Amino acid sequence: MDAQSTCPPLSAPARDPAKLLFTPQQEGELGEIIRQQQESEFLVIEDEQVTAYLKRIGDRVAQHVPDTGLHYQFLLYDQPEIQAFSMPGGRVYVSRKMVSFLRNEDELAGLLGHELGHLAARQQALDLSRYFREVLGLKALSGDEDLFGLYNQFVESVRLKKRRSQPSGEEDKGQKTADQLGVQSVARSGFAPQAFPDLLDRILQTKGKTGNWFTDLFGATRADSKRLREALKDIATLPASCIEAKETTRSEDFQKWQAAVLHYRGIGHGERLSGVVSRKQLNNPLRGDIENFRFSPDGKYLLAQDEGGIYVLSRDPLKFIFRIDAADAQPAQFSPDSHQVAFFSSGLRVETWDLERQEQTSVSDVAALRGCRQTELSPDAKFLACFDNSLDLTLYDVGSGEVIFKKDKFYDFDSGLSGYGGFFKFIYFLLHQDLVTLRFSPDGRYFAASSRTKEDVVIDLTIQKKINVPGAIHTAMGYSFTFVGPDRIVGVDTFSPQKSPLVEFPSGKVIDRMPLGDGSLVAATNPKYIFIRPLQERPVGAYDLEQKKLAYSNRMSATDVWGDVFISERLNGEVGLYKVTESKAYTTLQLPLGRLGILRTFTASPDLKWLAMSSRTRGGVWNLDTNTRVFHIRAFQNAFYNANGNFFMDFPEFEKAQREMGVLSPVTQQTKGREIDKDDDLTFFGDVYLRTKHNDKNRNVRRNFELESLDMATGKLLWSRNFSKQGPWVSGSVSSGKVILVWNAKADGLRDELAHDARLQERWSKENPAETDSFMEVLNARDGTVAGGAVVRTGKYSFHPEYQMAVGDWLVVTDNLNRVLLYSVSTGEQKAKWFGYRPQISRNGDRLCLSNGRGHLVVYDLHTLKAISNFSFTSRISANLFSEDGRRLFVLTNDQTAFILDAADGSSTAASSRN
């Protein structure tokens, strides 16, 4: 440590002050603005139990970076990518996936040192300075500049002016500078600097290759290899006086932290609520749709999987055992010995759960650097196959993370016959998520994959090597195929589907031939059956391989067969067991409360006494005062509560039932309805519905049509508008009493529309919009009179409006940049911009509520345009809306807890810090 006293402090590379617009304080403020915009895209974990270690290591390294005046923060976020990045102002983000990828504490320090190097060199601030100059024409900033306004002006104008590309080699130079500063600060902090090149080598996949003078001479050295070489050189030239004596290795601390991050299952923050008027768990809650059923191989257990998790059941008797919360899980399965459940998430987090102990037995994070377009997990959870967007196929050992097989360009656009074949494969690639077929044998011994482009592969997992198989197996694997038992395979013969083969595996002996369609094939637990998805007008059909005929079809995609028993979900949300030869369930079970998936629609009465909501297949109405469900009904796609105390609901076509409008009285529990002609183009808007009469065959062109408004209760025509030329799209919210006509600025019908209203014509002429802008015309839904409108300037599509709603004098527009834009309907003036999404405005127009991040809500007073409340929940928010007077806020979380809150009683300080 004595040598350390002679080590000079680090200094950042010299920079031209004229190129930097921002002071450190302004950079910090700008970083906070960008944070508000970006953090809704991913989950930032604020739990000290999993972030304290990261902050400790980061703070230790930060002590040795050059002083910049920035305040450094180290944050953990949940995204399925191996990534770390830094943000202007001093924030360093590390993904959970990256934490799993790291091997030790020294690699973590090296990673953080590199990101701190970017910040210490002020690289983000320099880049933003260049962008602001080029797009906004700025030459300098004053100390009291409105950075929020400037940043929004920048994102709205980024396409208006041509930006110069970064000078050649500038990005590589920036990485090199960050690497150098990182290595120096890591060494001074007492960590092993060599760990950073080791990490870099794995991330860049350079395999230790650094190139040399000879490969440099002929241009054969990859840029990544040069970067690795420079990093190693930086370490070799470190002065001995600047290498702090290595502290005792704390591998145990790192491993504990890594495990804590891997096992973390929370939403990222604690509950912060005030002004809670009531909190109730809904009785008889809405059931999520079952997306996956599976029997265990021995038939003892069943699993039923919805959007929020996995139910484990016994078959005989049919009984609930326990549930695994796993909102992001792909289809789960049983291990070959029927002792475990195995599944993985879209982020390739693989879990196994012991059925007897009802607890997690393993969790692993597979490090696929490029992510996966398609994935498949072996039944024993030992191997995971990944087909990525680079069209490469990789097979991973889950436990070690090692690659045991890789085939580059497994899907080949070049057909080898003509350019047309490659073109059609490219179109197929764009239109289909599932390009290839990936299958494991049920005993976990074999992996087989087909590219559907004359490329296939079979791996014997016991020796972890590719094996050759006979032609009959190649034929069966040509398109869609599946294992039926450990030693048979069945697949669609693309040239002769009526003679598709059932083949012994791996010998290739053809056992039988049968007619199969072009659907996706998946084996049932009973290998006598396969599932074909879709099958004509049904989502799934079970095909009997012995009888060579359809055994049954199902109205829901989820089903499975064991022995002569199959399982399916019933219309009322129960699961039922059936004999394959019978249509009536011989036993049923109502599953316990799960978590809500995405709601199709929801609404509530103005006094927040009655709630109506619908999922994909079923809906309900609840009395929130008594916490009782008064209706359990099929799914509806729109709902409105009128002044007479009735719900008007739009029930879509379902099986044999036609689309109809239903009227439900929650007080008397009486219902009535009327059918809607399937050719009627209707949209529900509160107490009116809009009918579009198309005069052209192509309904999507929005040209030459008539728009009619009819009273919801009586069906009486209220008003109509004819659009003989290019017309608008219709938007708005159900209960606002306003209809919004969304016009493209270059629509030829807009000129005729403006000619009918002098105010709008004057506004349009004054604004002088560009062709890429939009005009939002707001009508009163009951009489069709024009309330006003606003021009939404997109800056040559620098952003895209996504959703619009109007209440009173307010027009609210959301865009693809996670922003909410507020306009005055009467004047067309833009009044405010906030970061957030899913806005809800009170019916009296006094308050606005925005989501910004999972489980976070912010309430704004629309008179002052200031945040007045902030609420944080420990579950995701499924629905929220105001009471009629805007004083109370109803919130439903996905664990089906209903809150009523005092809308102005949240912490305004906390609210301001987030928006």
Side-chain angles (χ1 to χ4, degrees):
M1 294 294 291
D2 292 337
Q4 268 283 305
S5 61
T6 64
C7 176
L10 270 179
S11 59
R15 53 184 174 268
D16 184 353
K19 292 183 178 180
L20 193 61
L21 282 175
F22 309 103
T23 65
Q25 182 179 352
Q26 288 175 319
E27 183 184 343
E29 184 180 340
L30 189 59
E32 171 63 19
I33 293 166
I34 298 172
R35 178 198 69 78
Q36 292 174 25
Q37 181 187 25
Q38 297 296 324
E39 281 193 6
S40 67
E41 301 295 322
F42 48 80
L43 171 65
V44 174
I45 299 172
E46 302 169 359
D47 192 328
E48 281 291 319
Q49 292 184 336
V50 290
T51 60
Y53 178 83
L54 172 68
K55 293 174 181 177
R56 176 157 56 86
I57 300 300
D59 289 343
R60 183 170 148 191
V61 177
Q63 291 177 6
H64 297 277
V65 300
D67 184 19
T68 59
L70 297 176
H71 171 62
Y72 298 117
Q73 299 177 58
F74 304 93
L75 301 114
L76 183 68
Y77 74 101
D78 190 9
Q79 278 286 85
E81 57 188 11
I82 299 172
Q83 182 66 277
F85 64 92
S86 47
M87 192 179 283
R91 290 179 176 82
V92 176
Y93 292 82
V94 180
S95 72
R96 287 177 72 180
K97 195 81 173 173
M98 174 62 85
V99 173
S100 294
F101 188 71
L102 297 170
R103 290 180 175 171
N104 50 55
E105 185 176 84
D106 295 310
E107 286 192 352
L108 172 62
L111 176 73
L112 298 178
H114 170 80
E115 296 303 333
L116 287 167
H118 283 299
L119 291 167
R122 304 289 300 282
Q123 289 175 6
Q124 292 92 338
L126 286 165
D127 287 342
L128 281 171
S129 297
R130 178 164 61 88
Y131 296 152
F132 274 44
R133 282 193 175 93
E134 292 174 358
V135 175
L136 302 179
L138 294 177
K139 294 182 179 180
L141 289 177
S142 63
D144 59 351
E145 200 75 52
D146 176 16
L147 291 178
F148 183 84
L150 278 178
Y151 178 74
N152 277 280
Q153 188 181 343
F154 166 71
V155 299
E156 291 171 358
S157 311
V158 72
R159 289 178 181 262
L160 290 175
K161 293 190 178 180
K162 187 175 181 180
R163 286 185 294 149
R164 291 174 296 165
S165 59
Q166 196 173 37
S168 178
E170 199 65 27
E171 184 175 346
D172 291 342
K173 183 179 176 183
Q175 292 288 4
K176 181 179 178 181
T177 299
D179 290 347
Q180 288 174 335
L181 289 172
V183 164
Q184 292 273 0
S185 56
V186 163
R188 285 168 163 81
S189 305
F191 297 102
Q194 175 62 43
F196 178 67
D198 292 345
L199 174 63
L200 202 62
D201 185 36
R202 296 205 318 282
I203 291 175
L204 300 178
Q205 296 183 310
T206 43
K207 299 179 180 179
K209 297 177 181 178
T210 60
N212 52 50
W213 69 269
F214 186 77
T215 55
D216 289 354
L217 181 66
F218 289 96
T221 308
R222 289 172 51 202
D224 289 343
S225 293
K226 286 183 179 180
R227 184 180 170 192
L228 178 61
R229 184 203 307 166
E230 292 298 320
L232 290 168
K233 189 185 296 183
D234 292 339
I235 292 169
T237 57
L238 275 172
S241 62
C242 292
I243 302 177
E244 186 173 313
K246 185 77 172 73
E247 290 188 0
T248 304
T249 302
R250 295 183 176 177
S251 60
E252 189 175 317
D253 288 352
F254 173 81
Q255 289 166 3
K256 283 182 179 178
W257 171 67
Q258 191 178 49
V261 172
L262 186 61
H263 286 81
Y264 183 77
R265 306 183 75 89
I267 198 172
H269 56 260
E271 182 181 280
R272 292 190 292 271
L273 298 177
S274 58
V276 178
V277 178
S278 69
R279 179 200 304 244
K280 297 175 182 177
Q281 192 88 36
L282 284 186
N283 286 327
N284 295 314
L286 197 62
R287 304 288 166 185
D289 299 318
I290 301 299
E291 300 178 336
N292 175 43
F293 282 118
R294 204 67 184 168
F295 286 97
S296 61
D298 63 5
K300 182 179 177 181
Y301 298 104
L302 277 157
L303 63 81
Q305 185 172 0
D306 62 18
E307 291 179 80
I310 302 160
Y311 297 91
V312 178
L313 318 172
S314 64
R315 179 185 60 84
D316 188 15
L318 183 59
K319 186 174 66 175
F320 170 75
I321 302 175
F322 71 102
R323 176 181 163 88
I324 304 167
D325 283 332
D328 193 28
Q330 302 302 297
Q333 57 190 324
F334 288 99
S335 60
D337 62 7
S338 300
H339 291 163
Q340 292 186 321
V341 170
F343 60 91
F344 67 99
S345 69
S346 60
L348 307 188
R349 168 193 168 103
V350 179
E351 297 185 37
T352 61
W353 287 68
D354 185 271
L355 296 173
E356 291 295 330
R357 299 201 304 269
Q358 302 180 20
E359 63 183 20
Q360 187 185 74
T361 51
S362 72
V363 57
S364 304
D365 219 330
V366 178
L369 288 168
R370 296 190 181 118
C372 299
R373 184 188 180 101
Q374 284 178 247
T375 45
E376 191 78 9
L377 181 68
S378 65
D380 55 11
K382 292 181 179 179
F383 302 96
L384 185 134
C386 168
F387 175 69
D388 63 32
N389 281 315
S390 298
L391 310 182
D392 300 337
L393 174 65
T394 308
L395 188 61
Y396 293 92
D397 182 304
V398 170
S400 68
E402 298 297 324
V403 174
I404 65 170
F405 173 82
K406 185 172 184 180
K407 172 65 178 177
D408 292 337
K409 297 298 178 280
F410 184 63
Y411 184 89
D412 185 9
F413 284 122
D414 182 6
S415 66
L417 297 173
S418 69
Y420 290 107
F423 171 76
F424 285 120
K425 286 176 187 173
F426 180 68
I427 296 299
Y428 189 87
F429 170 80
L430 294 178
L431 298 179
H432 295 78
Q433 175 67 23
D434 290 348
L435 293 180
V436 301
T437 304
L438 310 175
R439 296 287 185 264
F440 286 93
S441 61
D443 60 355
R445 177 173 179 180
Y446 295 105
F447 168 69
S450 167
S451 69
R452 305 179 182 177
T453 57
K454 298 185 177 180
E455 181 81 50
D456 57 44
V457 63
V458 176
I459 307 292
D460 185 333
L461 297 172
T462 61
I463 58 175
Q464 298 188 8
K465 289 184 179 180
K466 180 180 177 181
I467 61 173
N468 296 320
V469 292
I473 291 180
H474 290 294
T475 299
M477 291 176 60
Y479 180 64
S480 181
F481 70 92
T482 187
F483 283 94
V484 282
D487 56 356
R488 296 189 305 165
I489 192 171
V490 63
V492 177
D493 186 327
T494 53
F495 294 102
S496 184
Q498 297 303 309
K499 296 182 179 179
S500 296
L502 175 65
V503 184
E504 190 177 84
F505 192 92
S507 71
K509 177 184 175 183
V510 177
I511 300 170
D512 205 347
R513 294 186 182 273
M514 60 205 64
L516 295 175
D518 59 356
S520 173
L521 307 184
V522 176
T525 300
N526 181 348
K528 176 184 176 182
Y529 301 92
I530 59 170
F531 298 119
I532 304 174
R533 293 187 173 96
L535 184 70
Q536 298 173 353
E537 296 181 356
R538 291 280 184 140
V540 63
Y543 187 84
D544 187 324
L545 295 174
E546 294 178 4
Q547 299 293 325
K548 297 184 187 178
K549 66 178 184 179
L550 187 68
Y552 68 90
S553 62
N554 212 36
R555 64 174 184 81
M556 302 290 283
S557 181
T559 187
D560 193 22
V561 184
W562 180 86
D564 63 349
V565 174
F566 78 91
I567 186 169
S568 180
E569 183 180 14
R570 291 156 58 85
L571 205 55
N572 62 3
E574 294 177 341
V575 298
L577 293 182
Y578 303 74
K579 296 293 184 181
V580 171
T581 56
E582 299 175 4
S583 60
K584 185 178 180 180
Y586 68 83
T587 184
T588 62
L589 174 68
Q590 185 67 266
L591 297 173
L593 173 67
R595 291 186 178 268
L596 276 175
I598 297 173
L599 290 178
R600 195 168 189 169
T601 189
F602 66 91
T603 192
S605 59
D607 59 3
L608 303 184
K609 178 177 180 178
W610 303 102
L611 167 70
M613 62 175 172
S614 176
S615 67
R616 196 168 58 226
T617 58
R618 61 187 66 91
V621 176
W622 285 261
N623 182 325
L624 293 176
D625 287 347
T626 61
N627 196 11
T628 55
R629 187 177 69 194
V630 295
F631 286 110
H632 192 210
I633 47 183
R634 68 181 175 96
F636 50 92
Q637 56 193 8
N638 273 304
F640 172 72
Y641 184 88
N642 77 348
N644 294 327
N646 296 321
F647 281 103
F648 287 80
M649 295 180 174
D650 180 8
F651 292 95
E653 184 179 349
F654 180 75
E655 294 187 337
K656 296 180 180 180
Q658 296 296 314
R659 183 184 178 189
E660 67 175 349
M661 183 182 73
V663 183
L664 291 75
S665 170
V667 176
T668 66
Q669 298 183 29
Q670 293 180 328
T671 66
K672 61 180 179 179
R674 65 171 182 263
E675 285 192 359
I676 298 172
D677 190 284
K678 64 180 180 180
D679 293 326
D680 235 352
D681 187 351
L682 297 183
T683 306
F684 282 54
F685 272 91
D687 61 352
V688 306
Y689 58 92
L690 301 182
R691 173 191 287 140
T692 304
K693 290 185 173 180
H694 301 270
N695 297 316
D696 285 351
K697 290 184 178 180
N698 187 350
R699 295 186 170 195
N700 294 321
V701 296
R702 303 299 293 176
R703 178 179 288 276
N704 191 18
F705 65 92
E706 186 177 0
L707 187 66
E708 296 181 339
S709 175
L710 300 100
D711 184 89
M712 180 71 73
T714 66
K716 178 183 176 182
L717 179 66
L718 300 174
W719 55 269
S720 65
R721 302 279 288 274
N722 186 60
F723 301 99
S724 59
K725 298 179 181 179
Q726 183 72 48
W729 294 96
V730 181
S731 184
S733 65
V734 170
S735 59
S736 67
K738 305 288 186 184
V739 173
I740 304 169
L741 304 183
V742 182
W743 293 89
N744 186 294
K746 61 184 178 182
D748 54 9
L750 179 56
R751 303 296 184 271
D752 295 343
E753 182 73 10
L754 294 172
H756 297 145
D757 192 297
R759 289 181 308 152
L760 296 186
Q761 180 67 66
E762 181 183 0
R763 188 170 302 166
W764 179 264
S765 301
K766 182 180 178 181
E767 293 280 351
N768 190 25
E771 286 190 351
T772 57
D773 297 336
S774 296
F775 184 69
M776 311 283 182
E777 181 183 6
V778 181
L779 310 181
N780 294 307
R782 292 292 302 180
D783 58 18
T785 56
V786 177
V791 173
V792 178
R793 296 184 177 277
T794 68
K796 288 186 177 179
Y797 299 129
S798 296
F799 69 92
H800 300 277
E802 293 187 334
Y803 169 75
Q804 305 83 33
M805 66 184 302
V807 174
D809 191 46
W810 298 118
L811 171 64
V812 179
V813 180
T814 67
D815 68 15
N816 64 318
L817 300 179
N818 185 40
R819 299 188 308 164
V820 175
L821 315 176
L822 184 71
Y823 298 83
S824 166
V825 171
S826 58
T827 68
E829 180 185 358
Q830 188 178 88
K831 294 292 189 178
K833 302 184 185 88
W834 298 289
F835 293 119
Y837 55 93
R838 209 164 64 187
Q840 291 288 339
I841 190 167
S842 61
R843 298 187 192 194
N844 62 4
D846 285 349
R847 285 171 181 163
L848 178 75
C849 180
L850 303 180
S851 298
N852 200 4
R854 297 179 196 173
H856 286 295
L857 291 176
V858 184
V859 178
Y860 291 88
D861 184 319
L862 292 182
H863 297 288
T864 64
L865 303 180
K866 300 292 185 182
I868 58 172
S869 292
N870 177 282
F871 302 104
S872 294
F873 302 83
T874 53
S875 295
R876 299 190 188 202
I877 297 165
S878 295
N880 61 278
L881 45 78
F882 285 101
S883 60
E884 187 168 28
D885 60 8
R887 298 189 176 205
R888 289 178 296 158
L889 180 68
F890 168 78
V891 179
L892 180 70
T893 52
N894 73 345
D895 62 353
Q896 306 207 49
T897 301
F899 296 84
I900 294 180
L901 308 166
D902 184 331
D905 199 28
S907 168
S908 59
T909 303
S912 300
S913 71
R914 287 194 62 82
N915 270 337

